[in-house]
Amino acid sequence: MNNKLIKNSQVFKAFCDENRLQILKLLQSGEKCACVLLEKLSIGQSTLSHHMKILVQSGVVVPRNEGKWTYYSISEQGAQAAKDLLDKLTIVKPGKSGKSGKSGKQGKSTCK
Amino acid sequence: MNNKLIKNSQVFKAFCDENRLQILKLLQSGEKCACVLLEKLSIGQSTLSHHMKILVQSGVVVPRNEGKWTYYSISEQGAQAAKDLLDKLTIVKPGKSGKSGKSGKQGKSTCK
DNA sequence: CTCTCATATCGACAAATGTCAATGTGAAGT
DNA sequence: ACTTCACATTGACATTTGTCGATATGAGAG
């Protein structure tokens, strides 16, 4: 239960850091090698590795290994999953719309 | 520029905490008074206030004041803005698709 | 096999975040 | 006015997160 909420929050952490957004922006033009990303990001190599791990764990980015290089790209499937989750988290269920609780007027000494 | 990335990251911070996700879940069934939220969340009052501030600042939740009470609800407009932003951040631009860089084969001693 | 290169992991540290208790503030109720 | 109630703000503290330098790992190249 609670675990699910924590897992969901993990997905969005991918988008909660300036450098990770920058990385995503770079990946929007196609797959990139880690070393290419490193060139453009004024952060250290270990820090990049850390951010890529978070992006991959969120499912939004997928790695591809080729020899000694690792290429990263945006997973359209993972991105869609994030969008679906966002929908799920923000959809307002029908029925209980508009003002709070029941529709009748209540006293001034209760918030219900 | 950089500022924009930071501002964007702020939006998603709304979804990066277990308690905030719990709050959103509660708000999905309609507008709720802060005191009602407080009852269900096993967190202190000041902590709730802190979380509500972050949710409101992200635009996903809107407050409504009535006397001494504050009611919160999900902003469908704010939620849509977050979805649009997520789209913008994860869309893969056409053209540079598939593998990295150019299409021709390169040597094994370069990642380009 | 050894060396080098690309990347991951580790350990340390600073900054940001979540939490609470205490206090401030503004709106009713008496 | 005084009190009470709902919520916000502040200050202190613990946890989490981002960062770096150093080291480990794994894949070619020599």
Side-chain angles (χ1 to χ4, degrees):
Chain A
M1 304 266 175
N2 235 354
N3 216 334
K4 199 173 177 181
L5 293 182
I6 293 175
K7 202 172 177 185
N8 286 346
S9 72
Q10 291 293 106
V11 173
F12 294 101
K13 289 196 177 161
F15 307 99
C16 284
D17 178 86
E18 185 194 343
N19 284 313
R20 289 196 289 271
L21 291 187
Q22 186 73 52
I23 291 166
L24 284 174
K25 201 171 177 180
L26 291 169
L27 294 182
Q28 286 188 318
S29 62
E31 190 184 55
K32 295 278 180 302
C33 178
C35 60
V36 172
L37 296 174
L38 190 55
E39 282 174 1
K40 317 206 169 188
L41 283 176
S42 44
I43 57 176
Q45 181 268 320
S46 61
T47 301
L48 175 64
S49 192
H50 167 70
H51 286 308
M52 297 321 294
K53 191 174 184 180
I54 290 173
L55 285 168
V56 169
Q57 282 175 344
S58 78
V60 176
V61 168
V62 280
R64 180 174 66 90
N65 274 50
E66 193 175 315
K68 37 180 186 169
W69 296 284
T70 307
Y71 296 87
Y72 294 97
S73 56
I74 292 177
S75 162
E76 307 204 32
Q77 187 181 336
Q80 188 57 50
K83 290 176 204 171
D84 290 346
L85 181 53
L86 187 52
D87 265 321
K88 203 169 168 182
L89 293 172
T90 58
I91 192 171
V92 178
K93 292 173 189 167
K96 290 252 200 174
S97 61
K99 307 297 185 217
S100 175
K102 307 157 202 158
S103 51
K105 56 141 62 110
Q106 276 81 31
K108 287 192 169 181
S109 52
T110 171
C111 72
K112 298 295 188 331
Chain B
M1 304 273 173
N2 234 351
N3 214 335
K4 198 173 178 182
L5 292 182
I6 294 174
K7 202 172 177 186
N8 286 345
S9 72
Q10 292 293 107
V11 173
F12 294 101
K13 289 195 178 163
F15 307 100
C16 286
D17 178 87
E18 185 195 344
N19 284 314
R20 289 197 286 273
L21 291 187
Q22 186 73 51
I23 291 166
L24 284 174
K25 202 171 178 180
L26 291 168
L27 294 182
Q28 286 188 317
S29 61
E31 191 184 53
K32 296 276 180 303
C33 178
C35 61
V36 172
L37 296 174
L38 190 55
E39 283 174 0
K40 317 204 170 188
L41 283 176
S42 44
I43 57 175
Q45 181 268 320
S46 60
T47 301
L48 175 63
S49 192
H50 168 70
H51 287 307
M52 297 319 295
K53 192 174 184 178
I54 290 173
L55 285 168
V56 169
Q57 281 176 343
S58 79
V60 177
V61 168
V62 280
R64 180 174 66 89
N65 274 52
E66 193 175 314
K68 39 182 186 169
W69 295 284
T70 306
Y71 297 87
Y72 294 98
S73 56
I74 292 177
S75 162
E76 307 204 32
Q77 186 181 335
Q80 188 58 51
K83 290 176 206 172
D84 291 347
L85 181 54
L86 187 51
D87 265 322
K88 203 170 168 183
L89 294 172
T90 58
I91 192 171
V92 177
K93 292 173 189 166
K96 290 254 202 175
S97 61
K99 307 299 185 213
S100 174
K102 306 158 204 157
S103 51
K105 53 141 65 107
Q106 276 79 32
K108 288 192 169 181
S109 53
T110 172
C111 73
K112 298 293 188 330

